[in-house]
């Protein structure tokens, strides 16, 4: 109503289109919502809303689609399509070359140790003891500390903090630590994720070392434990899934966590009592999505989100679809059923938001961190010309070693020229020194060896990446945006489309192709027009668009234009 009257006044007073646009932007700011809700669905490909749309219920995705704006052709513009870089880009509007989060974990060149993207030794976990997270965590408890310390860009949340200070609350939750922490950003008030079915955080967010009473009470309700032995079956008749996705037990599916490859399955970890295997099985089941949905609904009430003096920010990232996508691929009954169950969870969340805040006072955006490649067993059957296959990186490494040995002299058995780090390598300074080898020449030899592999698409050396611009849509520019100049690898590469570097079974993501880069982008709520838009847009436009809707400046590194 108020927005309308501002336009009316402007039409009378000023005749120019530019002035009209300026008044429109002011009107959006005047109507700033009370709560922004950013929903990420891990591995939610851009085709899923259309593919599973006929099977949605009334209150979830359908409600957002009917009342919102669906960008059906939205893509990422960086190369390394993984969870941490995706979540770091969503609210910063920039890429790893700026925000520093190149991967889920990476090799630290100073210590030659693997570092988690949200690792912070100064910020121990709160709500769980490291020893409960398994043998590796028990052996190195400091490495379980978590915070946004490695995330170097500002987000829309930071802009809200600058404007409203204590008058805004930034709350993030996910099944994964990195997804919650990176969405919440550097000034986030709270980030929770689930470990062994409990929602936990770190000292960065809770310096007292205590969970809030409401989180303790929520955990004490024991949702994960109550789900022990629950059977996960399809919501709809099997024939519906067959028609949409093909057979349940397709070649290439993984029998992970004792769950088999077919419905129905009992969620118990293959044991008679609760064990660590059970929690892995639980993480694979949609019951973990239901628990996160309930946790977030509880948070809206307990944290009084949307009832602050400024605009609050709620970030939530659902992880389970990624887990089943890895095990069974995008064309599985498991992924379809997980999406349909998420649809029900979303319906519950929207009901809570409507009741507690009012949907007209919220702006909601739903997107994803990356997509997923179909199982190569399927692609090689439906499209044999692709040559889709599973490949082994050991073959590449052997070729590179051979080339380096031939040029500089063979290293003793048991010593290595390089250490692998994601899809690339760091040359070992000790090996280079021992053989008086020049790092740039060695990197070029590794590149040439990798490039001889029939499944490798592009190989770039550090020197090539540092000389490249981060603008444009070439494979080099996309990799440059995924590359951290100060401390990244000596050689990086991409696979040819449809190939997967995973032996045996299962699927994955991480490549600069539409099946990984095309993701959902669905807007709803205050200031959002209705409809579908089919022109190509990019995820890095989300941050400036949301900032404008909330009446705050775009984060400093978010340089892309708004989506609408
Ligand atoms: Zn994944």
């Amino acid at each position: 109503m108020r927005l309308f009257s501002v336009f009316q006044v402007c039409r009378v007073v000023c005749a120019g289109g530019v002035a009209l646009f300026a008044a429109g932007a002011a009107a959006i700011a005047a109507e700033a919502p009370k709560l922004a809700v950013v929903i990420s669905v891990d591995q939610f490909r851009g085709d899923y809303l259309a593919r599973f749309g006929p099977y949605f219920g009334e209150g979830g995705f359908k409600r957002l689609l009917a009342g919102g704006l669906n960008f059906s052709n939205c893509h990422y513009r960086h190369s390394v399509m993984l969870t941490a870089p995706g979540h770091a880009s969503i609210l910063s509007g920039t890429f790893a070359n700026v925000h520093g989060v190149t991967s889920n974990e990476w090799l630290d060149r100073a210590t030659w140790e693997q570092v988690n993207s949200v690792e912070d030794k100064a910020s121990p976990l709160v709500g769980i003891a490291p020893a409960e997270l398994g043998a590796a965590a028990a052996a190195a408890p400091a490495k379980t500390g978590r915070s946004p310390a490695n995330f170097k860009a500002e987000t829309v949340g930071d802009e809200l903090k600058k404007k409203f200070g204590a008058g805004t609350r930034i709350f993030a939750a996910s099944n994964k630590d990195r997804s919650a922490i990176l969405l919440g950003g550097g000034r986030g008030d709270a980030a929770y994720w689930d470990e062994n079915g409990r929602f936990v955080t770190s000292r960065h967010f809770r310096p007292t070392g205590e969970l809030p009473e409401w989180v303790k009470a929520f955990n004490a309700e024991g949702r994960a434990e109550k789900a022990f032995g629950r059977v996960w079956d399809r919501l709809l008749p099997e024939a519906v899934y067959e028609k949409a996705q093909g057979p349940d037990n397709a070649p290439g599916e993984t029998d992970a966590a004792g769950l088999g490859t077919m419905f129905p399955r009992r969620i118990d970890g293959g044991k008679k009592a609760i064990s660590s295997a059970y929690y892995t099985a639980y993480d694979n089941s949609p019951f973990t999505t239901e628990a996160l949905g309930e946790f977030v609904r509880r948070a809206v009430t307990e944290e009084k989100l949307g009832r602050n003096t400024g605009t609050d920010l709620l970030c939530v990232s659902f992880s389970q679809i990624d887990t089943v996508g890895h095990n069974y691929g995008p064309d599985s009954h498991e992924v379809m059923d997980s999406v349909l169950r998420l649809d029900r969870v979303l319906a519950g969340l929207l009901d809570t938001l409507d009741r507690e805040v009012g949907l007209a006072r919220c702006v909601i955006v739903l997107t994803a961190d990356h997509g997923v490649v179909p199982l190569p067993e399927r692609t090689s059957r439906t499209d044999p010309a692709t040559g889709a296959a599973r490949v082994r990186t050991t073959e590449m490494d052997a070729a590179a070693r051979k080339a380096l040995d031939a040029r500089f002299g063979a290293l003793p058995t048991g010593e290595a020229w390089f250490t692998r780090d994601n899809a690339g390598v760091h040359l070992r300074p000790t090996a280079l020194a021992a053989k008086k080898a020049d790092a740039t020449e060695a990197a070029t030899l590794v590149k040439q060896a990798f490039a001889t592999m029939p499944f490798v698409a592009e190989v770039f050396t550090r020197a090539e990446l540092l000389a490249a611009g981060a603008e444009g849509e070439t494979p080099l520019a996309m990799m440059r945006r995924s590359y951290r100049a100060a401390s990244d690898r000596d050689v990086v590469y991409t696979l040819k489309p449809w190939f997967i570097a995973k032996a045996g079974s299962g699927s994955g993501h991480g490549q600069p192709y539409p099946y990984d880069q095309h993701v959902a982008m669905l807007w709803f709520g205050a200031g959002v027009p209705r409809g579908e838009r089919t022109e190509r847009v990019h995820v890095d436009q989300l941050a400036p668009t949301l900032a404008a809707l909330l009446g705050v400046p775009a984060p400093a590194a978010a340089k892309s234009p708004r989506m609408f």
Side-chain angles (χ1 to χ4, degrees):
M1 197 59 169
R2 206 156 129 205
L3 190 113
F4 181 68
S5 61
V6 171
F7 269 100
Q8 287 291 83
V9 169
C10 187
R11 260 178 215 173
V12 177
V13 176
C14 43
V18 172
L20 187 69
F21 174 78
I28 288 172
E31 296 286 320
K34 293 303 292 178
L35 179 64
V37 183
V38 177
I39 302 171
S40 168
V41 183
D42 206 305
Q43 204 185 100
F44 201 78
R45 279 172 37 149
D47 60 329
Y48 282 1
L49 283 175
R51 189 197 289 211
F52 302 126
Y55 315 105
F56 291 151
E58 292 305 318
F61 285 115
K62 255 192 194 171
R63 190 173 185 179
L64 295 177
L65 284 162
L69 181 58
N70 179 23
F71 286 90
S72 56
N73 190 17
C74 180
H75 299 253
Y76 274 94
R77 298 200 297 133
H78 61 249
S79 188
V80 179
M81 296 302 303
L82 298 173
T83 294
H87 280 90
S89 288
I90 288 172
L91 283 172
S92 70
T94 189
F95 307 97
N97 60 320
V98 176
H99 63 56
V101 182
T102 51
S103 183
N104 294 332
E105 53 175 41
W106 55 80
L107 187 91
D108 179 339
R109 284 173 84 106
T111 61
W112 222 256
E113 255 184 26
Q114 285 290 320
V115 176
N116 186 288
S117 54
V118 286
E119 183 173 321
D120 181 357
K121 288 177 176 164
S123 187
L125 294 177
V126 173
I128 194 160
E132 293 180 76
L133 299 174
K143 287 187 74 68
T144 63
R146 296 288 181 264
S147 86
N150 297 326
F151 182 26
K152 306 299 185 192
E154 292 195 319
T155 65
V156 176
D158 292 322
E159 296 300 332
L160 287 171
K161 278 287 174 196
K162 286 183 212 169
K163 178 167 179 181
F164 297 113
T168 178
R169 183 133 182 92
I170 298 174
F171 184 96
S174 174
N175 304 103
K176 290 181 183 173
D177 49 11
R178 55 185 175 273
S179 307
I181 291 169
L182 295 169
L183 284 179
R187 291 179 177 83
D189 294 296
Y192 293 91
W193 56 95
D194 86 86
E195 301 284 6
N196 293 358
R198 274 144 51 203
F199 285 90
V200 305
T201 185
S202 78
R203 292 240 176 195
H204 172 83
F205 302 100
R206 298 291 298 177
T208 61
E210 288 278 324
L211 293 174
E213 290 305 319
W214 77 263
V215 177
K216 283 188 198 169
F218 185 92
N219 286 339
E221 289 163 26
R223 271 167 192 74
E225 290 70 26
K226 284 177 187 155
F228 181 79
R230 228 177 123 180
V231 172
W232 176 19
D233 203 354
R234 284 164 289 232
L235 280 173
L236 304 177
E238 180 175 358
V240 175
Y241 295 72
E242 287 257 7
K243 183 165 168 268
Q245 298 284 77
D248 187 5
N249 184 17
E253 293 191 4
T254 301
D255 174 6
L259 292 165
T261 55
M262 294 182 77
F263 282 110
R265 69 240 309 161
R266 204 177 126 87
I267 306 301
D268 58 11
K271 299 226 162 61
K272 289 204 162 34
I274 291 176
S275 64
S276 63
Y278 166 64
Y279 289 114
T280 305
Y282 175 76
D283 288 344
N284 275 270
S285 80
F287 309 140
T288 193
T289 300
E290 292 170 8
L292 177 58
E294 287 177 35
F295 182 75
V296 173
R297 293 171 73 173
R298 188 77 61 89
V300 171
T301 309
E302 293 288 343
E303 303 263 327
K304 299 187 171 52
L305 299 176
R307 280 159 292 169
N308 228 318
T309 52
T311 302
D312 291 336
L313 173 63
L314 167 63
C315 306
V316 51
S317 176
F318 293 98
S319 312
Q320 180 257 350
I321 287 169
D322 178 70
T323 312
V324 293
H326 278 284
N327 288 335
Y328 312 105
D331 306 295
S332 61
H333 291 204
E334 287 83 356
V335 162
M336 177 167 170
D337 198 64
S338 300
V339 172
L340 300 190
R341 285 170 185 271
L342 172 66
D343 179 48
R344 291 183 168 198
V345 169
L346 280 179
L349 177 56
L350 294 179
D351 277 346
T352 296
L353 291 171
D354 204 15
R355 194 183 61 240
E356 299 283 325
V357 187
L359 284 180
R361 307 173 80 203
C362 297
V363 57
I364 301 173
V365 56
L366 183 146
T367 186
D369 50 354
H370 56 73
V372 63
V373 67
L375 294 169
E377 290 79 4
R378 178 192 170 97
T379 309
S380 61
R381 196 176 66 249
T382 57
D383 194 358
T386 59
R390 298 180 182 280
V391 299
R392 287 180 193 279
T393 54
T394 47
E395 210 182 315
M396 310 173 65
D397 296 354
R401 180 178 179 118
K402 200 174 156 195
L404 292 165
D405 280 352
R407 168 68 183 85
F408 301 114
L411 281 179
T413 311
E415 283 184 27
W417 281 104
F418 49 80
T419 301
R420 264 196 169 269
D421 180 12
N422 294 294
V425 303
H426 294 270
L427 291 163
R428 296 182 72 92
T430 47
L432 295 175
K435 294 292 176 186
K436 297 190 172 51
D438 174 66
T440 306
E441 188 186 357
T444 302
L445 287 169
V446 173
K447 170 182 167 139
Q448 287 164 354
F450 282 0
T452 63
M453 301 287 128
F455 51 83
V456 167
E458 305 279 351
V459 193
F460 304 114
T461 63
R462 176 177 181 75
E464 288 169 328
L465 284 159
L466 293 186
E471 295 308 315
E473 310 306 322
T474 62
L476 178 59
M478 286 198 281
M479 186 61 87
R480 182 66 190 86
R481 292 195 279 271
S482 278
Y483 192 80
R484 189 178 52 220
S487 55
D488 217 324
R489 296 149 294 175
D490 295 292
V491 182
V492 298
Y493 64 89
T494 58
L495 297 177
K496 286 192 177 156
W498 313 103
F499 284 83
I500 174 170
K502 187 171 188 297
S505 63
S507 188
H509 49 86
Q511 302 295 321
Y513 306 118
Y515 50 73
D516 279 354
Q517 289 183 318
H518 179 203
V519 293
M521 182 59 67
L522 180 52
W523 294 80
F524 179 95
V528 179
R530 289 181 192 191
E532 179 172 358
R533 297 265 293 265
T534 57
E535 77 270 26
R536 186 181 173 100
V537 293
H538 298 119
V539 178
D540 45 292
Q541 296 176 262
L542 185 158
T545 307
L546 181 61
L549 286 169
L550 302 182
V552 294
K559 303 290 188 203
S560 300
R562 286 154 49 179
M563 269 180 224
F564 61 93

